[in-house]
Amino acid sequence: MSYRYMRIFVMFDLPVLTAEERKKYRLFRKYLVKNGFIMLQESVYCKMVPNSAAGDAVSAGLRKNKPPEGSVQVLKVTEKQFQKMDYMVGSLSTSILNDDERLVVL
């Protein structure tokens, strides 16, 4: 069985001026963490998936659980493209999942 690993990036900018908006922000962030996303930077989360079809399923789940206001963007890249990321300042964090060690194939 062959897999073409992909990374799903979620970038969001949500309003947090009112208590209700902050609650929606927290719920969306909890959804991301609960579903295996790892924070790369503030408001940028990433998840590894085994192929594009799984990435589409993840995108559909995000679409269902997105907050009603703000900006949420999803980007899919192949693992090979992800590994070519250029660090202009800083370096690769060891807390980032860079291999398929934690990937669960069902």
Side-chain angles (χ1 to χ4, degrees), residues 42-75:
E42 191 171 331
S43 298
V44 178
Y45 286 72
C46 176
K47 177 179 183 172
M48 180 184 268
V49 293
N51 53 39
S52 182
D56 291 341
V58 170
S59 291
L62 286 166
R63 197 172 308 277
K64 278 185 176 178
N65 293 286
K66 66 177 175 43
E69 297 174 3
S71 173
V72 178
Q73 299 165 320
V74 177
L75 174 68

Side-chain angles (χ1 to χ4, degrees), residues 8-21:
I8 307 293
F9 288 89
V10 178
M11 300 162 277
F12 57 92
D13 188 17
L14 304 177
V16 290
L17 297 176
T18 66
E20 184 65 25
E21 290 171 341

Side-chain angles (χ1 to χ4, degrees), residues 4 6 36 59 64 84:
R4 184 174 176 135
M6 299 195 78
S59 291
K64 278 185 176 178
K84 290 181 181 177

Side-chain angles (χ1 to χ4, degrees), residues 1 3 6 8-9 16-17 21 23 30 39 43 50 58 71-72 74 77 81 83 88 90 93 103-104:
M1 190 157 47
Y3 295 102
M6 299 195 78
I8 307 293
F9 288 89
V16 290
L17 297 176
E21 290 171 341
K23 180 180 179 183
K30 278 186 180 181
M39 186 171 80
S43 298
V58 170
S71 173
V72 178
V74 177
V77 299
Q81 291 169 326
Q83 290 177 353
M88 295 188 175
S93 171
L103 181 67
V104 177

Side-chain angles (χ1 to χ4, degrees), residues 19-31:
E20 184 65 25
E21 290 171 341
R22 285 190 292 274
K23 180 180 179 183
K24 289 175 183 173
Y25 174 91
R26 283 192 309 271
L27 290 175
F28 183 64
R29 188 186 171 283
K30 278 186 180 181
Y31 172 80

